[in-house]
Amino acid sequence: MEPADTPAGSGHRPMRMCVVCRQRFYKDELLRFVCPVHGELTLTADSTGKLPGRGFYLCRDAACRNRFERFKGWQKKCKGVGNVH
């Protein structure tokens, strides 16, 4: 049952947070990466947003993408998945 003030069919747009700048954006405005499994050290870009497994999001800002190359926080986001520490 939908609330009275929500138009039917408007849908919900989920929001997610960029792991670098920590700002919130709509999910479809972000890039998703899937955590590596089985000891791999490479991330997988998820352009469809439907790959299985733990993932995290990165905004499309050039400054965030540049900082992401040196950013090690993704390893913390992936802790407990495979052998990533």
Side-chain angles (χ1 to χ4, degrees), residues 12-82:
H12 171 73
R13 287 183 66 193
M15 296 194 76
R16 300 290 185 263
M17 184 184 297
C18 172
V19 294
V20 176
C21 68
R22 316 244 335 135
Q23 291 184 16
R24 292 193 174 272
F25 299 92
Y26 288 114
K27 181 179 174 182
D28 57 357
E29 296 173 356
L30 296 168
L31 303 170
R32 182 174 187 258
F33 292 90
V34 178
C35 293
V37 293
H38 305 298
E40 297 174 18
L41 293 177
T42 58
L43 296 172
T44 304
D46 180 10
S47 60
T48 64
K50 297 182 183 199
L51 288 177
R54 181 176 290 267
F56 57 90
Y57 296 86
L58 180 68
C59 71
R60 298 179 187 269
D61 183 38
C64 281
R65 283 185 284 161
N66 290 337
R67 284 183 55 205
F68 182 69
E69 293 173 7
R70 298 181 312 273
F71 181 70
K72 299 296 181 193
W74 68 268
Q75 294 173 350
K76 191 175 197 179
K77 295 285 183 192
C78 296
K79 188 173 184 180
V81 177

Side-chain angles (χ1 to χ4, degrees), residues 1-8 10:
M1 186 169 170
E2 298 201 24
D5 59 348
T6 302
S10 66

